[in-house]
Amino acid sequence: MSESTATREPPAFAVSKKRLRLLGLTLDDAIKVFFGGNAFVSVIVLALITIFLFREGFGFFGQNRQNLRIYRQAGLEYVDFIRTQTDDHTALTRYLSDLRLRQLSFFLQEKKLSLADANAALAAFDDFADRFGTAIDPLRAMVSDLTEQATEIKTKFIVAGDKREERRQLTAEGKTADAAAVKIDEVNFTNELKPLLATLPTYRAVNRELEQKLKGVLDTAPPPPTPELAVRFDRFKDLVQIYVAGFPAVEKNLETWDYLKSVPVSQAFTAFVFGHEWLTASFWQDWYGVVPLFVGSLMVSLVALVIAVPFGVGAAIYVNQIATAAEQKFIKPCIEFISAIPSVVLGFFGIAVLGQALRLLSQQSWLSWVPGFPYSERLNILTAGCLLALLAVPTIFTLAEDALNNVPRAFKEASFALGASRLQTIVKIIVPASLSGIVSAVLLGLGRVIGETMVVLLCAGNRIAIPDFSAGLAVITQPVHTMTGIIAQEMGEVVRGGIHYRALFVVGLLLFLLSLLINYVAQGIVRRYRISIG
Amino acid sequence: MVTSVPILMDTRPSAPSTAPAAGKPTVRPPAVGASAVASPAALNLPAATTLIDIEQVDFFYGATQALADINLKIDDRKVTAFIGPSGCGKSTLLRCLNRMNDLIEGARVSRGTIRIRGVEIYQPDVDVIELRKRVGMVFQKSNPFPKSIYENITYGLRLQGRSDKSDLDAVVEKSLRGAALWDEVKDRLDTSGLGLSGGQQQRLCIARAIAVEPEVILMDEPCSALDPVATAKVEELIQTLRENYTIVIVTHNMQQAARCSDKTAFFYMGRLIEYADTRNIFTNPANPQTEAYVSGRFG
Amino acid sequence: MNIAAGGHIFQSQPNAARRWEHATFWLFRAATYLVLGCGLSVFATIVFKGTRALVKPEAPFINTTFFTDAPETLYVFTFEGKGYAQGDREHRAFIAAHPAAARVKAESYVYSAGGIFPCIVGTFLLVVGSMAIALTLGVCAAIYLNEYARDGAFIRFVRLAILNLAGVPSIVFGLFGFGMFVIGFKVFGVQFFGWNVSLAAGWFTLAFMVLPVVITASEESLKAVPMGFRAGSLALGATKWQTIRKNVLPYALPGILTSSILGIARVAGETAPIMFTAAYVVRDKLPWDVAKVSDFFFQGVMALPYHIYVVSSKIPQNEYTERVQYGTAFVFLLVVALIAATSILLRNKLRSRYQW
C-alpha cells in the first residue's frame, strides 16, 4: 500500500509556471506586440503619405503668393489688363470668320455658286472683316512693347534674387570677401515702373482711336444674305457694342492700379483652387490653377462611369440572378481576368487602336447625328472614358455582385411564393434590397477611375484647358488633361523644391483627399445598409 | 507551489501495480469489463473527495449575466454531468474550468472563486497554458487537426518539447488504447484524422486530450453530433476513463447523464438549481423545476 | 382566364409580361457578353499583333533576341537602291563595311530595335522584392488582426487605415515614395532614406501600395481555418503562438499565397508608382553589373510597364516601331495574365480541396 501510494503521488497542481520575461513581456506577449506593430504599419503609411504630401506641397502657397506678388510688382498685371482687350478682339474676329464660313457654305450649297463666285460675293464682307481686324493693330503693338518692359523688370528681379542666394551661400561657406563681391542690383519698382505707367495717356489716345474705328467699321458692314445669318450678325454687332462699352472699365483699372497693393494669403489659395489656367514654364507668367485638371479628371471619370455603371451592374445582375451555374463559372473568372489587364496596356491599346477606331466610327455619315461626331482629335475624353470604363467594370461588377449575393434568400423565396416572376423579383426585391451596396460599388468604381493614371496620361489628349461646355454633349470629344496625368507627366521635369514641384504635390494632396472622401462616403453607405438588413 | 493534500491520497482508489514510473501522473490501462457497464451508482466506491471547488461564481458576457452565484463541488475521479435547457449556462461553467472563456471578448468571472485541488485558477499568477495542460477538453464538434492520427495524438506532447520517437510511440498507443480506438486505427496511424468516422474522430479527440495526461477532462456535449452507435461507444469510454480522470460532461441528453454520471447538476437560467447524486436527480428530485425538466415537461 | 381545350389551369401561356421578361434578360445577357467581348478584343489585338513581332518564319520560330537583347535605336535607310532597317550595332558594323553608307540619311527610331531583356529583369526584381516586403508585413498584420486583436479603438483605427489605403490612387503612392524614399528627410540633422531613383525605393513604394490587398487576402485565409483547430490546440495547453504557428498558419498559407498572387499581378502591372521611384527610361547596365553589393539596391532599373509607356508615348507609331510596341505589350500582358490565371485556377482548386 505504501509503495503504491508513493508511486501515485499526485503532482502539485502547479499552474503558475514562471516564464521568461523581457521588459515585463513573456515571449508570447512579445510576439503579439510584434504582430501588432506590423498591423500598425498601415496606419503609419497612411500618416506618412499625409505628412509627405503636406510637407512637399505646403510651401506651394507661400511660393505662389510670391509668384503673384511679382506678377503685380513687375507690372505684368498692368499689361494683362490691356491684353484682355486684344484677346477679346481676337475672339470677335473668330466670330467673324465663323460668319464667313456660314455665308460661304450658304453661297455654295443654297445658291450653287462656284467657289470663285462665292468668294467674289463675299468680297465686301472680307473687306469689312479686314478693317475690323486691323483696327486693333496699334493697341497690339503697344501691348507688345509693354510686355517687353514688364518682362525686363521681372528678369531683373529674378537675377537680383539669384545673386542674393549666391551671396547667402558664399557667406554660409565663410567666403565673406567673395560674398561682398557679389553685386546685387536691387530692383526699385517705383523707378522701373515709371516708363510703364507713363504710357497711360498714349493708351487712352489709342483706345479712343480704336473705339472710333470699330464704330466706323460697324456702320459700313455689308448686309448678310439670309435672315438666319442676319440674326447672327446682329448678335455680333451687340457683342462689339458690349466690347467697346467695356473700355472705360479697363481704363479705370489702369488708373487705380497700384503695384504696392499686397497680395493676401487667401489669394494664393484661391488662385490654385479656382484658377482657370495651368500654365508652366512660360516666359510671361506661370499660373497654377487646378480647375482645368480637375474638370478634366471629372469629365473623363463621368464618361467612364456612364458607360461602366449600366454594364457593370447589368452584368452583376445577370450573373447573380439570371445566368446558369455554368455561365457563372465562366463569366466570373473572365471578368477577374479583365481587371488584371494592366492600365498601361489599356492606355497603349487606346493610342494604337481605339483612338483611331473611334475617330473612324465618328466619321461615318450614318452616325453624324451623335453630338460631337465627326471629330478629328484622336485622343480625347471619349477615348480615355471608354478605356477607363473597361477598368471600372470589374470593380463595379465584383462589389455589386457581392451586394446582390448578400440579399437574404428568404426575400427572393417569399417573392416567388407570392407569384412574382423572376424579373419582378429582381426589380422590386433584389435590387432595392442591395441598392446601397450597388451605390457604394459605383462610388468605389469612381475612386478607381479618378485615381487612374496611365490611361488618361496616354489617351486623354493632354490639352490643359477647360473643355468648351457650350458645345453641349459634344464636349466629350475634346481633349483634356487630368490631375493624375499632370503629375505623371511633369513630375520628372521639375526642379526639386520649386513652385512647380510643390504645385504637383498639392495636386497629389487633392487627389488623396478626394480618394479618402469617396472611400468615406462609400463606407458610410455600406454601414447604413448593414443596419437596415439587420 | 506544492499543494498536494495528504488526505486526498488515502481516499483515492488504489492503483494497480502496472503503474509507470513515479513522478508522472499515471494513466492506467482501461479496466475493461464490470466497471464499464455497471451503473456507477451501483458500485460501492469509497466516498470521493472534492477536486474542483466552485464558490459563488458570477459570470458575464459583456453586460449579460450568464451565471449567477454558482456553488458546486466536483468530486475527484467521478463523472459529473451538467444538464439543463439551452442557454442555461452549463457550457459556460464548463469552459470556466479551463479558462477557455478567456478567448471570448468581454467574458469574465466577476465574482467568486474556482479552485482546483485548492489552487485558485483565476488568480493573476496562474499560467493559463499550464492550467489547460492539466484540464483537458473535448468539444461538441469533433475537431481533429488535419494531420495524421499520430500527429494529432502527439501534438500536445510536441508542444512540451517531447520528441523522442519511442516515447511518443508509447504514448500514442497508450492514449489510443485509453480511448478504445487503438484496434480500429493501429494500422493507419499516418492517415489523416479527418478520414475517420464521426465517432472515431471524437474518440481521437479524447485520446488527444488524455495524451497530455490531464487530471480533469471537460466534455462539452461530446455526443451531440454522433449517431447512437457511436454515442454508445463514447459513453462506454467515459465509464473506463472515470477510473483515472475526473470527468465533467455537459449534455443535452438526460439519458446520457443518467447512464454515465455519478453526480448531476441541473442548471436553469444561469443558476444551479439542484446538484446531487445522479440517481437522486432522476428518481427523486428535490426541486420541482428539476422534476419538470427531467420528466421532459420543458427544455 | 381563357383555358384552351384539353389544357389545365396552370398551363403556361405566352403573354406580354413574359415576353418583356425575356427581352430584358436578353438585354442583361448582351451587356455581360459585350463586356467580355471588349476585354477579349483588347487581348486579341495585342496577342495577334504582338505575336507577329515575336514569331519569325524560320526556326526556332521565336524571335529570341527580343527576349535577350537590350533596346537599341533602329535605323531605316535606303542604300544603293535597297532598303535597310538595322539596329544600332548592326548599323555601325554596316557603315564600317560600307563607308559610303555613312552619308546616307537614315531615319532613326529609338528603342525600336533589339529587345526588352533589361525590362524583364527589372520587373522581375521589382516584383520579387516588393512582394517579399508586402507579404512579411501583410501576413503579420493579418495574423494580428485575425488572431490577437480584440475590438477596440486601436483596431478600428487600423482597419480604417487599411480600408483607406486601399483607395489611395497609385500615383499618390508614387509621390509619397518619391518624397520619402527617393528624396528622404532629415530629423535633427540625420538623413533618413534618400535613396534616389532605386530598386529599394520602388520596392517599398510598391509594397505599401499592395499592402491592403495582401492583408485582406491573408485575413480571409486565416478566417477560413475553423475555430475548432485553435480551440483544440489551446485546450491541449498550447500557447497562442504555438497554436498559430502549428495549427493555423500551415492551413492558411496556401490561401494566403494564392490570393497574394493577384497582388503580384497588381505590382507587376502598375506604372505610376515606379515612374519617379525606380524606373529608368533606358539604362545600359544590367542590375547585377554593380561595383559592390550594396549598390545593387540603390540602382534604378528598366521595367516593362514603364517601357510600354515610353514606347507608346515618346516614339511615333509606324511599321518600324510597331514591333517593339506590340511586342512589349504582348509580353507584359502575357506575364500578367499568366500570373492572374494561376491565381484564379489555384484558388478554385483550393476552394474545392479545403472543405473542413
Side-chain angles (χ1 to χ4, degrees):
Chain A
M1 176 69 195
S2 65
E3 194 193 325
S4 68
T5 312
T7 57
R8 279 196 316 104
E9 170 140 356
F13 201 78
V15 288
S16 53
K17 183 178 169 185
K18 284 274 173 287
R19 288 181 186 272
L20 184 70
R21 277 173 186 274
L22 209 72
L23 301 169
L25 295 173
T26 63
L27 179 65
D28 239 40
D29 292 338
I31 289 169
K32 178 180 173 178
V33 169
F34 168 73
F35 286 140
N38 277 291
F40 198 59
V41 164
S42 49
V43 178
I44 295 173
V45 169
L46 201 66
L48 282 176
I49 291 178
T50 320
I51 290 170
F52 273 93
L53 291 181
F54 266 105
R55 191 193 75 161
E56 299 296 322
F58 205 70
F60 167 75
F61 294 107
Q63 287 179 340
N64 199 25
R65 190 180 172 204
Q66 180 65 12
N67 176 34
L68 295 172
R69 190 181 290 143
I70 297 173
Y71 175 66
R72 174 162 293 165
Q73 288 181 341
L76 272 64
E77 188 181 34
Y78 184 85
V79 183
D80 270 347
F81 282 136
I82 310 176
R83 198 192 302 277
T84 51
Q85 267 180 299
T86 58
D87 288 349
D88 288 349
H89 184 269
T90 313
L92 287 170
T93 322
R94 218 176 292 132
Y95 195 104
L96 269 188
S97 33
D98 177 63
L99 264 180
R100 184 183 192 280
L101 204 67
R102 284 168 191 279
Q103 292 186 43
L104 185 68
S105 69
F106 166 78
F107 284 128
L108 289 179
Q109 284 166 12
E110 307 283 319
K111 292 279 174 75
K112 306 288 180 204
L113 296 181
S114 72
L115 188 61
D117 290 346
N119 276 331
L122 280 171
F125 183 84
D126 286 344
D127 175 53
F128 158 74
D130 189 48
R131 276 183 292 138
F132 184 85
T134 50
I136 197 78
D137 286 348
L139 192 66
R140 200 161 265 158
M142 194 180 163
V143 167
S144 170
D145 287 347
L146 290 177
T147 299
E148 245 164 67
Q149 289 182 27
T151 314
E152 208 171 299
I153 302 175
K154 191 179 172 186
T155 313
K156 272 187 191 163
F157 180 81
I158 291 171
V159 168
D162 290 348
K163 293 275 183 194
R164 254 199 302 278
E165 177 62 22
E166 193 184 338
R167 177 183 281 181
R168 199 188 57 76
Q169 276 178 5
L170 286 172
T171 317
E173 286 167 22
K175 300 175 184 164
T176 31
D178 290 343
V182 174
K183 196 166 160 292
I184 300 175
D185 289 324
E186 288 298 349
V187 184
N188 184 335
F189 285 111
T190 322
N191 288 340
E192 298 283 352
L193 282 173
K194 252 179 201 153
L196 200 76
L197 295 175
T199 56
L200 190 58
T202 330
Y203 166 74
R204 284 210 181 98
V206 170
N207 228 3
R208 284 292 88 67
E209 191 191 342
L210 174 63
E211 206 177 320
Q212 294 309 320
K213 264 191 199 165
L214 289 182
K215 280 193 175 138
V217 170
L218 272 195
D219 291 340
T220 60
T226 68
E228 191 259 344
L229 286 172
V231 171
R232 285 183 177 273
F233 200 73
D234 285 343
R235 174 78 188 132
F236 173 74
K237 283 180 176 166
D238 289 345
L239 285 174
V240 174
Q241 295 296 346
I242 294 169
Y243 170 60
V244 172
F247 287 3
V250 177
E251 278 176 38
K252 186 130 180 68
N253 267 339
L254 295 180
E255 282 160 18
T256 57
W257 183 76
D258 178 9
Y259 72 95
L260 288 174
K261 206 171 138 209
S262 72
V263 178
V265 186
S266 63
Q267 200 182 332
F269 182 74
T270 50
F272 175 77
V273 177
F274 304 111
H276 287 245
E277 239 180 320
W278 181 281
L279 193 65
T280 54
S282 146
F283 80 99
W284 177 245
Q285 169 68 14
D286 287 355
W287 295 105
Y288 301 96
V290 82
V291 173
L293 307 174
F294 185 81
V295 170
S297 279
L298 206 65
M299 286 304 297
V300 173
S301 306
L302 275 183
V303 170
L305 279 192
V306 164
I307 301 170
V309 168
F311 281 100
V313 177
I317 291 175
Y318 179 71
V319 168
N320 193 271
Q321 297 291 330
I322 304 169
T324 60
E327 267 182 306
Q328 280 188 14
K329 261 197 178 149
F330 162 73
I331 295 171
K332 276 193 187 178
C334 279
I335 290 189
E336 253 178 286
F337 217 73
I338 293 178
S339 77
I341 299 179
S343 59
V344 71
V345 171
L346 275 185
F348 167 66
F349 180 79
I351 279 197
V353 182
L354 186 73
Q356 186 67 22
L358 279 179
R359 182 169 62 180
L360 273 179
L361 188 72
S362 82
Q363 285 160 354
Q364 302 300 313
S365 54
W366 53 276
L367 276 174
S368 58
W369 55 270
V370 179
F373 280 20
Y375 60 85
S376 55
E377 293 277 1
R378 186 163 59 97
L379 304 175
N380 54 35
I381 298 179
L382 186 65
T383 315
C386 287
L387 289 166
L388 284 181
L390 195 59
L391 271 178
V393 161
T395 309
I396 295 177
F397 169 83
T398 314
L399 294 167
E401 218 253 345
D402 265 359
L404 290 167
N405 231 355
N406 284 338
V407 176
R409 254 191 96 72
F411 285 19
K412 196 173 162 183
E413 283 167 358
S415 171
F416 282 149
L418 290 171
S421 72
R422 283 212 289 173
L423 182 62
Q424 285 166 331
T425 308
I426 290 169
V427 172
K428 298 203 167 137
I429 303 291
I430 310 275
V431 172
S434 54
L435 194 60
S436 35
I438 293 175
V439 171
S440 77
V442 171
L443 272 176
L444 291 174
L446 172 68
R448 173 101 173 74
V449 161
I450 214 162
E452 176 48 50
T453 310
M454 298 320 288
V455 168
V456 290
L457 177 60
L458 289 170
C459 300
N462 293 0
R463 193 181 73 189
I464 310 175
I466 300 174
D468 178 15
F469 284 100
S470 64
L473 267 181
V475 73
I476 63 167
T477 59
Q478 295 176 8
V480 288
H481 214 317
T482 54
M483 295 193 286
T484 48
I486 202 93
I487 298 175
Q489 193 181 33
E490 297 185 343
M491 196 68 204
E493 305 158 359
V494 296
V495 186
R496 240 174 241 184
I499 178 170
H500 190 179
Y501 168 89
R502 297 199 186 283
L504 292 177
F505 267 91
V506 177
V507 175
L509 186 64
L510 188 64
L511 263 174
F512 177 64
L513 296 179
L514 207 60
S515 75
L516 290 190
L517 179 75
I518 290 172
N519 238 321
Y520 175 78
V521 174
Q523 282 165 35
I525 290 172
V526 169
R527 245 198 314 279
R528 186 179 284 181
Y529 155 78
R530 268 207 204 115
I531 292 164
S532 75
I533 285 285
Chain B
M1 267 298 132
V2 177
T3 52
S4 64
V5 186
I7 247 175
L8 286 174
M9 283 177 280
D10 296 335
T11 51
R12 288 175 164 223
S14 60
S17 52
T18 52
K24 281 181 182 168
T26 64
V27 177
R28 286 163 301 176
V32 190
S35 67
V37 280
S39 163
L43 291 168
N44 190 17
L45 294 169
T49 48
T50 302
L51 179 72
I52 304 174
D53 188 354
I54 303 166
E55 278 182 5
Q56 299 182 327
V57 165
D58 285 358
F59 186 89
F60 284 85
Y61 288 116
T64 326
Q65 186 160 16
L67 293 173
D69 197 28
I70 305 290
N71 288 284
L72 192 66
K73 288 180 175 22
I74 293 172
D75 291 338
D76 193 14
R77 316 222 170 184
K78 288 282 164 65
V79 179
T80 305
F82 291 177
I83 62 169
S86 301
C88 67
K90 55 190 191 301
S91 279
T92 303
L93 183 60
L94 188 80
R95 296 168 74 90
C96 282
L97 301 183
N98 68 345
R99 292 184 55 177
M100 282 301 268
N101 279 336
D102 288 13
L103 304 174
I104 298 166
E105 223 159 288
R108 66 187 190 282
V109 173
S110 61
R111 187 176 72 103
T113 56
I114 299 175
R115 290 198 192 86
I116 299 182
R117 196 106 55 69
V119 178
E120 158 63 35
I121 62 166
Y122 276 89
Q123 61 190 357
D125 68 337
V126 165
D127 188 308
V128 188
I129 309 302
E130 292 297 313
L131 173 71
R132 289 187 191 138
K133 283 183 193 160
R134 312 296 288 273
V135 184
M137 189 163 191
V138 176
F139 296 84
Q140 177 169 9
K141 192 172 168 291
S142 62
N143 56 352
F145 305 138
K147 306 172 190 280
S148 70
I149 293 170
Y150 187 91
E151 289 293 323
N152 260 288
I153 307 283
T154 55
Y155 181 84
L157 301 172
R158 286 185 196 274
L159 292 178
Q160 295 168 23
R162 285 165 68 177
S163 55
D164 179 56
K165 180 82 166 99
S166 57
D167 175 30
L168 293 181
D169 286 348
V171 173
V172 167
E173 179 170 352
K174 199 167 69 179
S175 310
L176 283 172
R177 280 191 192 283
L181 195 61
W182 175 250
D183 294 330
E184 293 164 55
V185 300
K186 65 182 176 203
D187 300 326
R188 45 173 177 145
L189 289 177
D190 53 351
T191 59
S192 169
L194 288 169
L196 299 174
S197 73
Q200 286 173 325
Q201 284 193 5
Q202 195 58 293
R203 278 181 286 150
L204 176 63
C205 292
I206 293 172
R208 192 175 67 189
I210 61 181
V212 292
E213 299 174 338
E215 286 176 55
V216 184
I217 300 177
L218 307 176
M219 297 188 173
D220 191 354
E221 303 194 31
C223 303
S224 65
L226 303 182
D227 62 54
V229 178
T231 303
K233 284 210 167 169
V234 172
E235 282 180 14
E236 206 173 293
L237 176 59
I238 291 171
Q239 291 310 318
T240 330
L241 292 172
R242 62 195 285 274
E243 298 198 357
N244 296 303
Y245 305 98
T246 305
I247 295 174
V248 184
I249 176 168
V250 163
T251 178
H252 237 94
N253 179 337
M254 277 173 289
Q255 281 74 32
Q256 187 171 56
R259 275 197 301 269
C260 57
S261 70
D262 301 293
K263 283 194 152 188
T264 298
F266 172 61
F267 293 84
Y268 185 58
M269 307 271 281
R271 289 181 183 277
L272 176 63
I273 305 298
E274 190 167 353
Y275 178 49
D277 282 349
T278 300
R279 200 172 33 181
N280 288 346
I281 288 271
F282 282 95
T283 56
N284 188 19
N287 190 297
Q289 275 178 322
T290 316
E291 200 203 342
Y293 183 71
V294 297
S295 58
R297 262 181 273 148
F298 76 97
Chain C
M1 191 184 284
N2 177 20
I3 302 169
H8 52 78
I9 60 162
F10 297 129
Q11 185 116 40
S12 178
Q13 298 197 3
N15 58 32
R18 181 137 318 134
R19 277 196 296 278
W20 176 235
E21 184 173 314
H22 269 278
T24 320
F25 283 2
W26 269 107
L27 201 68
F28 280 119
R29 189 168 294 139
T32 310
Y33 284 99
L34 190 66
V35 169
L36 298 189
C38 287
L40 187 74
S41 66
V42 172
F43 214 80
T45 313
I46 288 170
V47 169
F48 178 67
K49 294 211 176 179
T51 321
R52 282 201 308 201
L54 298 185
V55 175
K56 50 185 183 183
E58 70 273 20
F61 303 112
I62 289 178
N63 186 352
T64 46
T65 54
F66 191 71
F67 293 97
T68 55
D69 278 9
E72 284 177 42
T73 304
L74 181 75
Y75 292 95
V76 179
F77 58 96
T78 325
F79 181 63
E80 294 174 350
K82 256 177 86 180
Y84 292 91
Q86 296 175 329
D88 195 22
R89 281 176 300 170
E90 199 187 349
H91 184 56
R92 260 180 280 159
F94 186 81
I95 288 179
H98 308 82
R103 285 189 300 277
V104 175
K105 192 176 166 352
E107 293 277 339
S108 67
Y109 302 101
V110 281
Y111 318 130
S112 301
I116 52 169
F117 182 60
C119 310
I120 297 176
V121 170
T123 291
F124 177 78
L125 287 175
L126 279 173
V127 167
V128 169
S130 56
M131 279 317 283
I133 297 168
L135 274 176
T136 315
L137 286 174
V139 173
C140 290
I143 289 176
Y144 181 77
L145 291 175
N146 198 51
E147 305 293 327
Y148 287 99
R150 303 202 157 175
D151 200 27
F154 175 72
I155 283 312
R156 275 201 294 271
F157 195 49
V158 169
R159 288 198 185 281
L160 196 71
I162 293 171
L163 254 171
N164 282 317
L165 214 52
V168 172
S170 54
I171 187 89
V172 174
F173 276 104
L175 277 182
F176 159 67
F178 182 69
M180 174 139 171
F181 300 118
V182 176
I183 299 179
F185 54 94
K186 274 200 174 108
V187 180
F188 301 119
V190 184
Q191 173 76 29
F192 287 89
F193 304 112
W195 295 333
N196 293 322
V197 173
S198 62
L199 264 183
W203 281 345
F204 279 95
T205 308
L206 287 172
F208 287 152
M209 187 196 73
V210 82
L211 195 58
V213 179
V214 176
I215 292 179
T216 317
S218 308
E219 236 196 308
E220 245 159 55
S221 301
L222 288 169
K223 276 208 180 86
V225 177
M227 284 314 285
F229 291 9
R230 300 183 180 90
S233 172
L234 288 171
L236 288 171
T239 63
K240 191 114 194 173
W241 171 232
Q242 285 170 328
T243 302
I244 293 168
R245 187 168 46 113
K246 297 200 159 173
N247 229 4
V248 178
L249 266 190
Y251 310 122
L253 215 52
I256 291 176
L257 293 180
T258 307
S259 315
S260 298
I261 296 179
L262 271 186
I264 297 183
R266 174 119 196 257
V267 164
E270 279 291 355
T271 319
I274 57 169
M275 282 178 110
F276 340 114
T277 57
Y280 280 158
V281 176
V282 66
R283 187 163 191 267
D284 295 333
K285 283 186 183 171
L286 283 166
W288 44 79
D289 194 9
V290 286
K292 55 182 195 289
V293 179
S294 64
D295 282 353
F296 178 79
F297 301 101
F298 303 113
Q299 59 175 342
V301 290
M302 294 181 75
L304 275 175
Y306 191 57
H307 195 63
I308 293 179
Y309 164 66
V310 171
V311 297
S312 57
S313 66
K314 303 273 193 276
I315 60 178
Q317 314 249 330
N318 59 36
E319 50 182 318
Y320 300 109
T321 58
E322 213 179 62
R323 187 187 81 100
V324 68
Q325 288 171 340
Y326 279 101
T328 314
F330 173 55
V331 171
F332 184 48
L333 192 63
L334 212 62
V335 169
V336 173
L338 273 182
I339 296 172
T342 319
S343 155
I344 293 169
L345 286 178
L346 269 181
R347 196 183 48 207
N348 288 350
K349 207 169 157 189
L350 218 62
R351 250 183 216 154
S352 53
R353 206 179 80 196
Y354 285 113
Q355 296 283 338
W356 320 105

